[in-house]
Amino acid sequence: MHDIKLIRDNPEAFDRAVARRGVAPLSATLIELDRKRRSAQTEFDELQGKRNTLSKEIGGAKARKDEARANELMAEVAALKERLSLLDVEQKAHEEALTDALSRIPNLPADDVPDGADEKSNVELRRTGAPKNYAFKPKEHFDLGEALGYMDFANGVKLAGARFTVVKSQLARLERALGQFMLDLHTTQFGYTEMQPPMLVNDATAFGTGQLPKFGDDLFRTTTGYWLIPTAEVPLTNLARDLIIDESELPWRFTALTACFRSEAGAAGRDTRGMIRQHQFNKVELVSIVVPEKSVEEHERMTEAAETVLKKLDLPFRTMLLCAGDMGGAARKTYDLEVWLPGQDQYREISSCSNCGDWQARRMNARCRAPGEKQTRFVHTLNGSGLAVGRALIAVMENYQNEDGSISVPDVLKPYTGGLTRIEKAAK
C-alpha cells in the first residue's frame, strides 16, 4: 500500500504519480480520512487519560469517605466510558475506510518508467535472436497440435468449458520437459530454492500480494472461501508476511512450477482459439524478497534468469519496458519478455518481471532488520515468470515446426524427453 505520512507531506507529488497510472487525484480524500482517524484517536487518548486520572481521584475520595465527591466522579467516569466506546467505534471505522482506500491504489511508478496509457507506449529495450526464415508458411500452434492429434480442444470444452485444453502424448511430455528444464536452470544457475506451495489460499494471502480487494473478479473462488492462485507469486511472496527477517538472511529467492487459474474476466473475444489465454495453465514463477537498496539490482538479475530460458531454447524474443499505464497494480517497474511466434507473425508476452518495491510488503507487514539494530523497515518484493510453460510450449511448437507438420525438440530439452527428438503424428 502507501505511507499516509508521505502522502500528507507530499500530496502534490503523490497526485502526480497516481495520475501516471490513470488515477484521479486522491491526496485530499486520503488526508481527510486520515485527519478524521487521527482526530478520533487523539480525543480517545485524551479522554482515556482523563478517565484514568478520575479513577484515581475516586479512590482518594472514598479513602476520605467523601461519598458525594466519589459519586460525582463515578458519574463523570461513566459518561467518559460511554464516549470512549463511541470514539473507539468511530476511530476503527475511519481506520478501515483509510486502509480500504489505500489498498485500492496501484503502486507508484519508478522515475525511469515511461509515461503512457497502454502497450502502445511500451519501450523496446533489445531484441535477442532473429526470426527464422521458413520455406513454407508457418502454422499456428493450434493447427499444428490438432493435426498431430495431441492438442484436444473439443474435449477441453467437454470436460470443463471454453479456454480449457487437453494436451496429450508427446506434446504433454514436451510441456513437462519445459517445466523441468526451467526449474533446473533457476535452481542450479541462479540459486532459487524450489518450492511446492499451496494452490489454494485465504483472503489474507490474496490481499497481501494485491489481488484483493480490487481484482477479486480475476480469480476463481471455491465454495469454502479459498482462492485458486493466479500465479505462485501469491503464496511464495506471502511467506514473508508478518515476519521481521534478519537482513543477513536476505535475499530470499523462491521458484515453483504450479498450475495457475485465472478467470480472464476482461478477455472476452481475445485469443479465443488455441492455448494463448487459458483459465488453467502451468507456470514457473520466480519470487525474491530483498533489502530495499538491492531491489533494482535484483530486478535486472531476475529478468536475466527469465531471458536465459529463452536463450537456451534458442527462441527469438524482445525485452520491453512497460509504461506506467500498462503495468500491473502491484508493480513499480516491469519488464516484459515477448517471444516471436511465426504462426502469428508477431511477438507475444511470455514473461513479466516486476519490482514491487515495498508496496506488497506494507500490505503483508513484511519487514527486515539489520543485525544489532532495533529499527525495522519494509522489505522489497519482486516476482517474474520464468516462464509461462504453456506459452513456451506454443513458442517451441511454432518456432521448431517442420514442413511436414512435425516439431523438432530443442537440443536443451532432449535430456528431459527420454530420447524423443521429434514430435510427430503417431503411426496408425
Side-chain angles (χ1 to χ4, degrees):
M1 297 199 298
H2 300 279
D3 185 346
I4 187 62
K5 183 178 184 302
L6 292 179
I7 297 172
R8 288 200 308 265
D9 293 345
N10 303 279
E12 295 85 3
F14 179 80
D15 284 342
R16 286 195 301 270
V18 296
R20 298 182 64 201
R21 301 300 302 261
V23 176
L26 289 167
S27 64
T29 300
L30 296 170
I31 289 170
E32 177 60 16
L33 285 172
D34 182 53
R35 184 197 66 76
K36 291 178 179 179
R37 176 188 66 85
R38 291 196 296 157
S39 175
Q41 183 64 58
T42 298
E43 185 179 354
F44 182 91
D45 293 341
E46 289 174 351
L47 294 184
Q48 184 68 48
K50 185 176 182 181
R51 179 187 175 188
N52 292 339
T53 300
L54 292 177
S55 295
K56 292 179 181 178
E57 290 182 16
I58 291 172
K62 287 188 174 183
R64 297 190 305 272
K65 300 188 182 305
D66 187 347
E67 292 299 324
R69 179 57 179 163
N71 289 335
E72 180 183 332
L73 290 169
M74 284 191 289
E76 192 171 349
V77 166
L80 284 176
K81 183 178 180 181
E82 184 175 345
R83 176 60 182 158
L84 283 167
S85 179
L86 292 174
L87 280 173
D88 185 49
V89 172
E90 182 181 332
Q91 191 272 337
K92 287 179 179 176
H94 291 320
E95 179 77 40
E96 289 174 2
L98 178 61
T99 298
D100 182 68
L102 288 169
S103 73
R104 297 174 183 274
I105 303 169
N107 205 346
L108 306 184
D111 292 341
D112 58 345
V113 168
D115 289 333
D118 52 36
E119 67 276 3
K120 295 176 183 176
S121 297
N122 295 341
V123 176
E124 182 177 323
L125 300 179
R126 54 187 171 270
R127 293 194 183 197
T128 305
K132 177 182 174 182
N133 291 318
Y134 295 87
F136 57 92
K137 180 175 174 55
K139 295 179 180 178
E140 293 195 56
H141 70 280
F142 45 79
D143 288 330
L144 289 164
E146 286 186 316
L148 288 167
Y150 300 144
M151 200 168 273
D152 189 343
F153 299 105
N155 269 322
V157 172
K158 173 185 174 181
L159 296 175
R163 299 193 188 277
F164 289 94
T165 308
V166 176
V167 179
K168 301 188 290 186
S169 188
Q170 296 177 20
L171 277 187
R173 178 145 199 176
L174 183 61
E175 182 170 2
R176 175 160 55 94
L178 281 161
Q180 297 307 311
F181 156 67
M182 293 174 196
L183 284 176
D184 285 352
L185 175 71
H186 296 315
T187 55
T188 59
Q189 185 169 331
F190 290 97
Y192 287 87
T193 299
E194 183 176 352
M195 310 289 280
Q196 194 58 257
M199 285 181 278
L200 295 170
V201 296
N202 56 29
D203 287 358
T205 301
F207 177 85
T209 41
Q211 280 69 36
L212 295 181
K214 193 173 182 180
F215 301 106
D217 289 345
D218 295 333
L219 309 182
F220 287 111
R221 194 177 194 185
T222 70
T223 56
T224 53
Y226 292 108
W227 300 91
L228 277 70
I229 61 169
T231 163
E233 168 207 345
V234 177
L236 293 180
T237 307
N238 272 273
L239 290 171
R241 192 174 80 227
D242 293 327
L243 295 181
I244 299 175
I245 306 166
D246 192 309
E247 291 185 11
S248 65
E249 296 180 19
L250 298 175
W252 286 358
R253 296 186 178 113
F254 304 131
T255 185
L257 169 57
T258 68
C260 303
F261 306 89
R262 297 184 185 177
S263 70
E264 298 292 352
R270 298 168 58 192
D271 298 308
T272 54
R273 289 201 66 190
M275 287 179 57
I276 287 285
R277 200 176 296 276
Q278 299 272 275
H279 289 312
Q280 175 186 323
F281 58 95
N282 295 320
K283 182 155 72 82
V284 172
E285 186 71 7
L286 305 174
V287 163
S288 295
I289 311 293
V290 302
V291 294
E293 57 268 21
K294 291 289 186 179
S295 65
V296 172
E297 175 186 332
E298 186 71 13
H299 192 199
E300 301 299 324
R301 185 184 191 277
M302 177 179 285
T303 304
E304 180 189 359
E307 289 179 332
T308 300
V309 175
L310 293 170
K311 290 176 181 178
K312 287 186 175 292
L313 289 169
D314 198 20
L315 294 171
F317 68 95
R318 63 182 185 180
T319 304
M320 307 291 292
L321 172 60
L322 298 196
C323 70
D326 199 35
M327 295 192 298
R332 70 186 305 266
K333 184 176 181 180
T334 297
Y335 296 123
D336 267 11
L337 306 185
E338 297 180 350
V339 67
W340 175 254
L341 297 183
Q344 291 193 16
D345 194 34
Q346 63 177 321
Y347 288 96
R348 296 299 301 266
E349 179 202 334
I350 196 169
S351 172
S352 282
C353 296
S354 297
N355 183 353
C356 299
D358 65 3
W359 190 87
Q360 291 178 326
R362 288 179 179 278
R363 301 170 78 91
M364 298 187 301
N365 193 29
R367 294 169 289 162
C368 59
R369 179 164 51 207
E373 295 290 331
K374 291 184 178 180
Q375 188 172 359
T376 65
R377 52 186 181 154
F378 290 107
V379 299
H380 280 196
T381 64
L382 303 95
N383 64 81
S385 307
L387 307 163
V389 181
R391 292 198 178 189
L393 176 66
I394 291 169
V396 168
M397 290 174 67
E398 293 197 13
N399 282 276
Y400 282 84
Q401 64 180 290
N402 302 305
E403 191 167 7
D404 63 1
S406 66
I407 299 162
S408 297
V409 175
D411 288 342
V412 75
L413 296 181
K414 289 176 182 176
Y416 298 89
T417 57
L420 187 67
T421 61
R422 183 183 292 255
I423 309 294
E424 50 194 354
K425 194 170 185 178
K428 291 184 179 179

